[in-house]
Amino acid sequence: MMVDTDLPPRETSARPAADPAPMARPTLRFLFAHPAHFIALGAGSGLARWAPGTVGTLWAWAVFALLQPSMSHAGWATLIGLGTLIGWWACTVTAVHMRIADSGHIVWDEVVAFWLVLWLVSPTSFWDQLYAFVLFRVFDAVKIGPMAWADRTFKGFGPRGGFGILLDDFAAALCTLLVIAIWKY
C-alpha cells in the first residue's frame, strides 16, 4: 500500500504526526488539502521555491493595493484582527501537518504583519511603501532583538507555536514602524 505524503495526517492533536520526515516543501495538492493550508501558505504565495517570505510579503502588498481604495480604517482594523486570529489557527494546523514548527513556506504571518505596516503608514507614496517593504523584510529575515526573542520563546507545535509564528513578524512590523516614525519625524 502506498502512502501519500502530500496529504496531511489524519491526526487532529496539536502534536506532529509520527511520520519521521517533515514536509520540506509543500505542494499544490497540500495547499488545497485543508483550508488552513490555503490561508497559512498565503493563497499559494508560500509555495515559491525561493524566498517564500518575500513572495508572501509581495502578495500582501498587491492585495493591500487592490483593497486600499475601498477599505476604511475600521475595515483594515477588522481584517487585520480577524486575519490574526484565523491565521493563528491556520499557522498552527499547517505547522503540525508539515511537521515543521515554523516553515518558511508558512507566509500568513508576513501577510498580516505587512498589512499592518502599510495600513499605519498610509497614505504614502510607492517609494515609501517600497522602503517599508525593504525594512520589514530585513527585520523579518535578520531576527535580532524582539524578533529573535519571539522566535526563540514561542517555538514548537500547538497554539503556542502558532502564536510564535505570527509574533516574530509583528515584532518586525513594530521595528519597521519605529524606524519609519524616526525617519519621518
Side-chain angles (χ1 to χ4, degrees):
M1 183 169 125
M2 266 174 80
V3 176
D4 190 347
T5 58
D6 287 346
L7 293 177
R10 296 271 179 215
E11 181 177 317
T12 59
S13 75
R15 295 191 179 265
D19 287 351
M23 181 179 287
R25 192 169 159 273
T27 63
L28 195 59
R29 185 172 182 179
F30 180 81
L31 175 74
F32 291 109
H34 194 286
H37 302 170
F38 188 80
I39 295 165
L41 299 176
S45 62
L47 296 179
R49 285 186 181 270
W50 296 283
T54 300
V55 174
T57 307
L58 287 169
W59 183 83
W61 192 2
V63 170
F64 181 86
L66 288 172
L67 294 178
Q68 178 61 12
S70 61
M71 292 281 280
S72 66
H73 287 296
W76 277 113
T78 302
L79 180 63
I80 292 167
L82 288 175
T84 300
L85 293 174
I86 293 168
W88 184 357
W89 163 78
C91 292
T92 300
V93 169
T94 303
V96 168
H97 290 176
M98 289 183 73
R99 299 176 243 12
I100 299 174
D102 188 359
S103 169
H105 294 281
I106 295 175
V107 297
W108 187 254
D109 48 336
E110 279 88 4
V111 171
V112 74
F114 194 57
W115 280 348
L116 178 66
V117 169
L118 290 173
W119 172 47
L120 293 177
V121 300
S122 290
T124 191
S125 71
F126 168 82
W127 298 108
D128 286 344
Q129 289 180 9
L130 179 61
Y131 179 65
F133 171 82
V134 170
L135 277 175
F136 177 75
R137 290 307 307 143
V138 167
F139 282 122
D140 186 35
V142 173
K143 302 264 191 263
I144 57 170
M147 288 71 64
W149 172 83
D151 194 50
R152 189 175 52 249
T153 306
F154 292 92
K155 240 349 167 205
F157 293 97
R160 180 182 173 90
F163 178 73
I165 291 171
L166 292 163
L167 186 60
D168 69 309
D169 288 272
F170 278 113
L174 176 65
C175 291
T176 300
L177 290 167
L178 285 172
V179 169
I180 291 171
I182 291 167
W183 173 56
K184 285 202 167 215
Y185 306 102

